[in-house]
PDB file of all heavy atoms in Angstrom:
ATOM      1  N   VAL B  17    -136.159 121.693  36.498  1.00 83.00           N
ATOM      2  CA  VAL B  17    -135.948 123.095  36.874  1.00 83.00           C
ATOM      3  C   VAL B  17    -137.033 123.493  37.859  1.00 83.00           C
ATOM      4  O   VAL B  17    -138.144 122.959  37.800  1.00 83.00           O
ATOM      5  CB  VAL B  17    -135.915 124.085  35.677  1.00 83.00           C
ATOM      6  CG1 VAL B  17    -134.781 123.678  34.734  1.00 83.00           C
ATOM      7  CG2 VAL B  17    -137.240 124.088  34.955  1.00 83.00           C
ATOM      8  N   SER B  18    -136.703 124.423  38.769  1.00 81.00           N
ATOM      9  CA  SER B  18    -137.636 124.773  39.827  1.00 81.00           C
ATOM     10  C   SER B  18    -138.140 126.185  39.636  1.00 81.00           C
ATOM     11  O   SER B  18    -137.402 127.045  39.122  1.00 81.00           O
ATOM     12  CB  SER B  18    -136.937 124.685  41.171  1.00 81.00           C
ATOM     13  OG  SER B  18    -136.204 123.475  41.266  1.00 81.00           O
ATOM     14  N   ALA B  19    -139.356 126.440  40.080  1.00 79.00           N
ATOM     15  CA  ALA B  19    -139.896 127.809  40.066  1.00 79.00           C
ATOM     16  C   ALA B  19    -139.987 128.341  41.492  1.00 79.00           C
ATOM     17  O   ALA B  19    -140.339 129.490  41.671  1.00 79.00           O
ATOM     18  CB  ALA B  19    -141.256 127.831  39.397  1.00 79.00           C
ATOM     19  N   HIS B  20    -139.628 127.554  42.466  1.00 69.00           N
ATOM     20  CA  HIS B  20    -139.783 128.007  43.869  1.00 69.00           C
ATOM     21  C   HIS B  20    -138.500 127.764  44.651  1.00 69.00           C
ATOM     22  O   HIS B  20    -137.595 127.112  44.198  1.00 69.00           O
ATOM     23  CB  HIS B  20    -140.952 127.243  44.503  1.00 69.00           C
ATOM     24  CG  HIS B  20    -142.270 127.686  43.973  1.00 69.00           C
ATOM     25  ND1 HIS B  20    -142.895 128.835  44.365  1.00 69.00           N
ATOM     26  CD2 HIS B  20    -143.025 127.178  42.968  1.00 69.00           C
ATOM     27  CE1 HIS B  20    -144.018 129.018  43.684  1.00 69.00           C
ATOM     28  NE2 HIS B  20    -144.107 128.032  42.820  1.00 69.00           N
ATOM     29  N   CYS B  21    -138.522 128.281  45.872  1.00 59.00           N
ATOM     30  CA  CYS B  21    -137.354 128.210  46.723  1.00 59.00           C
ATOM     31  C   CYS B  21    -137.086 126.771  47.185  1.00 59.00           C
ATOM     32  O   CYS B  21    -137.944 125.902  46.990  1.00 59.00           O
ATOM     33  CB  CYS B  21    -137.479 129.140  47.905  1.00 59.00           C
ATOM     34  SG  CYS B  21    -139.105 129.052  48.677  1.00 59.00           S
ATOM     35  N   ASP B  22    -135.947 126.511  47.785  1.00 50.00           N
ATOM     36  CA  ASP B  22    -135.547 125.219  48.181  1.00 50.00           C
ATOM     37  C   ASP B  22    -136.618 124.492  49.028  1.00 50.00           C
ATOM     38  O   ASP B  22    -136.902 123.309  48.844  1.00 50.00           O
ATOM     39  CB  ASP B  22    -134.271 125.242  49.013  1.00 50.00           C
ATOM     40  CG  ASP B  22    -133.071 125.548  48.134  1.00 50.00           C
ATOM     41  OD1 ASP B  22    -133.244 125.555  46.928  1.00 50.00           O
ATOM     42  OD2 ASP B  22    -131.996 125.775  48.672  1.00 50.00           O
ATOM     43  N   ILE B  23    -137.102 125.218  50.011  1.00 50.00           N
ATOM     44  CA  ILE B  23    -138.090 124.626  50.878  1.00 50.00           C
ATOM     45  C   ILE B  23    -139.452 124.964  50.271  1.00 50.00           C
ATOM     46  O   ILE B  23    -139.744 126.107  49.969  1.00 50.00           O
ATOM     47  CB  ILE B  23    -137.988 125.243  52.303  1.00 50.00           C
ATOM     48  CG1 ILE B  23    -136.583 125.065  52.805  1.00 50.00           C
ATOM     49  CG2 ILE B  23    -138.975 124.627  53.232  1.00 50.00           C
ATOM     50  CD1 ILE B  23    -136.245 125.864  54.027  1.00 50.00           C
ATOM     51  N   PRO B  24    -140.319 123.970  50.107  1.00 52.00           N
ATOM     52  CA  PRO B  24    -141.598 124.234  49.437  1.00 52.00           C
ATOM     53  C   PRO B  24    -142.383 125.329  50.176  1.00 52.00           C
ATOM     54  O   PRO B  24    -142.356 125.405  51.417  1.00 52.00           O
ATOM     55  CB  PRO B  24    -142.335 122.894  49.497  1.00 52.00           C
ATOM     56  CG  PRO B  24    -141.282 121.887  49.758  1.00 52.00           C
ATOM     57  CD  PRO B  24    -140.187 122.570  50.489  1.00 52.00           C
ATOM     58  N   CYS B  25    -143.161 126.103  49.426  1.00 52.00           N
ATOM     59  CA  CYS B  25    -143.984 127.155  50.038  1.00 52.00           C
ATOM     60  C   CYS B  25    -145.032 126.507  50.918  1.00 52.00           C
ATOM     61  O   CYS B  25    -145.411 125.369  50.757  1.00 52.00           O
ATOM     62  CB  CYS B  25    -144.666 127.957  48.946  1.00 52.00           C
ATOM     63  SG  CYS B  25    -143.516 128.897  47.974  1.00 52.00           S
ATOM     64  N   GLY B  26    -145.482 127.251  51.902  1.00 57.00           N
ATOM     65  CA  GLY B  26    -146.597 126.767  52.710  1.00 57.00           C
ATOM     66  C   GLY B  26    -146.165 126.090  53.995  1.00 57.00           C
ATOM     67  O   GLY B  26    -147.006 125.594  54.755  1.00 57.00           O
ATOM     68  N   ILE B  27    -144.846 126.050  54.279  1.00 74.00           N
ATOM     69  CA  ILE B  27    -144.474 125.403  55.516  1.00 74.00           C
ATOM     70  C   ILE B  27    -144.414 126.382  56.676  1.00 74.00           C
ATOM     71  O   ILE B  27    -144.170 125.996  57.788  1.00 74.00           O
ATOM     72  CB  ILE B  27    -143.114 124.676  55.426  1.00 74.00           C
ATOM     73  CG1 ILE B  27    -142.001 125.661  55.152  1.00 74.00           C
ATOM     74  CG2 ILE B  27    -143.162 123.587  54.382  1.00 74.00           C
ATOM     75  CD1 ILE B  27    -140.670 125.142  55.606  1.00 74.00           C
ATOM     76  N   TYR B  28    -144.564 127.697  56.385  1.00 85.00           N
ATOM     77  CA  TYR B  28    -144.595 128.682  57.491  1.00 85.00           C
ATOM     78  C   TYR B  28    -145.834 128.480  58.321  1.00 85.00           C
ATOM     79  O   TYR B  28    -146.907 128.292  57.796  1.00 85.00           O
ATOM     80  CB  TYR B  28    -144.525 130.059  56.910  1.00 85.00           C
ATOM     81  CG  TYR B  28    -143.264 130.339  56.121  1.00 85.00           C
ATOM     82  CD1 TYR B  28    -143.302 130.390  54.758  1.00 85.00           C
ATOM     83  CD2 TYR B  28    -142.061 130.528  56.788  1.00 85.00           C
ATOM     84  CE1 TYR B  28    -142.132 130.638  54.014  1.00 85.00           C
ATOM     85  CE2 TYR B  28    -140.890 130.732  56.068  1.00 85.00           C
ATOM     86  CZ  TYR B  28    -140.899 130.796  54.704  1.00 85.00           C
ATOM     87  OH  TYR B  28    -139.794 131.027  53.995  1.00 85.00           O
ATOM     88  N   ASP B  29    -145.669 128.507  59.627  1.00 89.00           N
ATOM     89  CA  ASP B  29    -146.772 128.256  60.516  1.00 89.00           C
ATOM     90  C   ASP B  29    -146.570 129.018  61.821  1.00 89.00           C
ATOM     91  O   ASP B  29    -145.637 128.800  62.561  1.00 89.00           O
ATOM     92  CB  ASP B  29    -146.844 126.750  60.782  1.00 89.00           C
ATOM     93  CG  ASP B  29    -148.153 126.397  61.508  1.00 89.00           C
ATOM     94  OD1 ASP B  29    -148.751 127.282  62.120  1.00 89.00           O
ATOM     95  OD2 ASP B  29    -148.524 125.210  61.472  1.00 89.00           O
ATOM     96  N   PRO B  30    -147.499 129.990  62.093  1.00 94.00           N
ATOM     97  CA  PRO B  30    -147.339 130.778  63.336  1.00 94.00           C
ATOM     98  C   PRO B  30    -147.734 130.027  64.577  1.00 94.00           C
ATOM     99  O   PRO B  30    -147.588 130.591  65.668  1.00 94.00           O
ATOM    100  CB  PRO B  30    -148.248 131.978  63.047  1.00 94.00           C
ATOM    101  CG  PRO B  30    -149.304 131.446  62.152  1.00 94.00           C
ATOM    102  CD  PRO B  30    -148.672 130.341  61.334  1.00 94.00           C
ATOM    103  N   SER B  31    -148.202 128.793  64.460  1.00 94.00           N
ATOM    104  CA  SER B  31    -148.685 128.117  65.710  1.00 94.00           C
ATOM    105  C   SER B  31    -147.547 127.875  66.702  1.00 94.00           C
ATOM    106  O   SER B  31    -147.766 127.848  67.900  1.00 94.00           O
ATOM    107  CB  SER B  31    -149.419 126.842  65.338  1.00 94.00           C
ATOM    108  OG  SER B  31    -148.546 125.928  64.687  1.00 94.00           O
ATOM    109  N   GLY B  32    -146.311 127.718  66.190  1.00 94.00           N
ATOM    110  CA  GLY B  32    -145.170 127.556  67.062  1.00 94.00           C
ATOM    111  C   GLY B  32    -145.004 128.786  67.990  1.00 94.00           C
ATOM    112  O   GLY B  32    -144.711 128.627  69.187  1.00 94.00           O
ATOM    113  N   ALA B  33    -145.225 129.958  67.438  1.00 97.00           N
ATOM    114  CA  ALA B  33    -145.108 131.178  68.216  1.00 97.00           C
ATOM    115  C   ALA B  33    -146.223 131.234  69.252  1.00 97.00           C
ATOM    116  O   ALA B  33    -145.989 131.661  70.434  1.00 97.00           O
ATOM    117  CB  ALA B  33    -145.178 132.404  67.315  1.00 97.00           C
ATOM    118  N   VAL B  34    -147.419 130.848  68.857  1.00 97.00           N
ATOM    119  CA  VAL B  34    -148.542 130.901  69.800  1.00 97.00           C
ATOM    120  C   VAL B  34    -148.315 129.951  70.968  1.00 97.00           C
ATOM    121  O   VAL B  34    -148.509 130.298  72.145  1.00 97.00           O
ATOM    122  CB  VAL B  34    -149.881 130.546  69.076  1.00 97.00           C
ATOM    123  CG1 VAL B  34    -151.028 130.479  70.075  1.00 97.00           C
ATOM    124  CG2 VAL B  34    -150.175 131.594  67.972  1.00 97.00           C
ATOM    125  N   VAL B  35    -147.863 128.733  70.674  1.00 96.00           N
ATOM    126  CA  VAL B  35    -147.594 127.755  71.733  1.00 96.00           C
ATOM    127  C   VAL B  35    -146.494 128.271  72.664  1.00 96.00           C
ATOM    128  O   VAL B  35    -146.602 128.167  73.904  1.00 96.00           O
ATOM    129  CB  VAL B  35    -147.197 126.380  71.123  1.00 96.00           C
ATOM    130  CG1 VAL B  35    -146.709 125.424  72.213  1.00 96.00           C
ATOM    131  CG2 VAL B  35    -148.388 125.751  70.415  1.00 96.00           C
ATOM    132  N   ALA B  36    -145.443 128.867  72.093  1.00 97.00           N
ATOM    133  CA  ALA B  36    -144.363 129.411  72.889  1.00 97.00           C
ATOM    134  C   ALA B  36    -144.855 130.521  73.815  1.00 97.00           C
ATOM    135  O   ALA B  36    -144.497 130.599  74.989  1.00 97.00           O
ATOM    136  CB  ALA B  36    -143.208 129.881  72.006  1.00 97.00           C
ATOM    137  N   ALA B  37    -145.738 131.397  73.298  1.00 98.00           N
ATOM    138  CA  ALA B  37    -146.284 132.471  74.109  1.00 98.00           C
ATOM    139  C   ALA B  37    -147.158 131.936  75.250  1.00 98.00           C
ATOM    140  O   ALA B  37    -147.087 132.450  76.354  1.00 98.00           O
ATOM    141  CB  ALA B  37    -147.122 133.411  73.241  1.00 98.00           C
ATOM    142  N   LYS B  38    -147.923 130.884  74.933  1.00 97.00           N
ATOM    143  CA  LYS B  38    -148.730 130.265  76.000  1.00 97.00           C
ATOM    144  C   LYS B  38    -147.853 129.621  77.074  1.00 97.00           C
ATOM    145  O   LYS B  38    -148.193 129.612  78.254  1.00 97.00           O
ATOM    146  CB  LYS B  38    -149.699 129.245  75.386  1.00 97.00           C
ATOM    147  CG  LYS B  38    -150.833 129.901  74.662  1.00 97.00           C
ATOM    148  CD  LYS B  38    -151.788 128.890  74.042  1.00 97.00           C
ATOM    149  CE  LYS B  38    -152.981 129.588  73.424  1.00 97.00           C
ATOM    150  NZ  LYS B  38    -153.821 128.680  72.621  1.00 97.00           N
ATOM    151  N   THR B  39    -146.706 129.087  76.619  1.00 97.00           N
ATOM    152  CA  THR B  39    -145.746 128.529  77.588  1.00 97.00           C
ATOM    153  C   THR B  39    -145.236 129.612  78.505  1.00 97.00           C
ATOM    154  O   THR B  39    -145.113 129.416  79.731  1.00 97.00           O
ATOM    155  CB  THR B  39    -144.597 127.828  76.856  1.00 97.00           C
ATOM    156  OG1 THR B  39    -145.157 126.869  75.961  1.00 97.00           O
ATOM    157  CG2 THR B  39    -143.647 127.133  77.824  1.00 97.00           C
ATOM    158  N   VAL B  40    -144.887 130.786  77.954  1.00 98.00           N
ATOM    159  CA  VAL B  40    -144.449 131.919  78.760  1.00 98.00           C
ATOM    160  C   VAL B  40    -145.508 132.260  79.796  1.00 98.00           C
ATOM    161  O   VAL B  40    -145.191 132.405  81.025  1.00 98.00           O
ATOM    162  CB  VAL B  40    -144.144 133.162  77.867  1.00 98.00           C
ATOM    163  CG1 VAL B  40    -143.926 134.408  78.739  1.00 98.00           C
ATOM    164  CG2 VAL B  40    -142.952 132.913  76.979  1.00 98.00           C
ATOM    165  N   ALA B  41    -146.774 132.314  79.370  1.00 98.00           N
ATOM    166  CA  ALA B  41    -147.853 132.672  80.300  1.00 98.00           C
ATOM    167  C   ALA B  41    -147.989 131.655  81.413  1.00 98.00           C
ATOM    168  O   ALA B  41    -148.177 132.033  82.583  1.00 98.00           O
ATOM    169  CB  ALA B  41    -149.161 132.818  79.505  1.00 98.00           C
ATOM    170  N   ARG B  42    -147.832 130.385  81.060  1.00 98.00           N
ATOM    171  CA  ARG B  42    -147.951 129.336  82.054  1.00 98.00           C
ATOM    172  C   ARG B  42    -146.788 129.377  83.030  1.00 98.00           C
ATOM    173  O   ARG B  42    -146.992 129.220  84.283  1.00 98.00           O
ATOM    174  CB  ARG B  42    -147.978 127.952  81.339  1.00 98.00           C
ATOM    175  CG  ARG B  42    -147.983 126.758  82.254  1.00 98.00           C
ATOM    176  CD  ARG B  42    -149.255 126.668  83.104  1.00 98.00           C
ATOM    177  NE  ARG B  42    -149.200 125.495  83.970  1.00 98.00           N
ATOM    178  CZ  ARG B  42    -149.727 125.472  85.193  1.00 98.00           C
ATOM    179  NH1 ARG B  42    -150.363 126.530  85.652  1.00 98.00           N
ATOM    180  NH2 ARG B  42    -149.660 124.399  85.953  1.00 98.00           N
ATOM    181  N   MET B  43    -145.612 129.708  82.548  1.00 97.00           N
ATOM    182  CA  MET B  43    -144.440 129.819  83.454  1.00 97.00           C
ATOM    183  C   MET B  43    -144.616 130.967  84.427  1.00 97.00           C
ATOM    184  O   MET B  43    -144.291 130.859  85.613  1.00 97.00           O
ATOM    185  CB  MET B  43    -143.138 130.008  82.629  1.00 97.00           C
ATOM    186  CG  MET B  43    -142.727 128.777  81.881  1.00 97.00           C
ATOM    187  SD  MET B  43    -142.500 127.312  82.888  1.00 97.00           S
ATOM    188  CE  MET B  43    -143.516 126.142  82.039  1.00 97.00           C
ATOM    189  N   VAL B  44    -145.174 132.089  83.950  1.00 98.00           N
ATOM    190  CA  VAL B  44    -145.426 133.238  84.839  1.00 98.00           C
ATOM    191  C   VAL B  44    -146.424 132.841  85.926  1.00 98.00           C
ATOM    192  O   VAL B  44    -146.253 133.153  87.111  1.00 98.00           O
ATOM    193  CB  VAL B  44    -145.936 134.426  84.020  1.00 98.00           C
ATOM    194  CG1 VAL B  44    -146.429 135.552  84.925  1.00 98.00           C
ATOM    195  CG2 VAL B  44    -144.822 134.958  83.104  1.00 98.00           C
TER     196      VAL B  44
END
Side-chain angles (χ1 to χ4, degrees):
Chain B
V17 299
S18 315
H20 290 279
C21 45
D22 287 350
I23 304 168
C25 294
I27 64 155
Y28 297 106
D29 190 340
S31 62
V34 175
V35 170
K38 286 181 175 169
T39 305
V40 171
R42 175 65 181 146
M43 290 304 128
V44 170

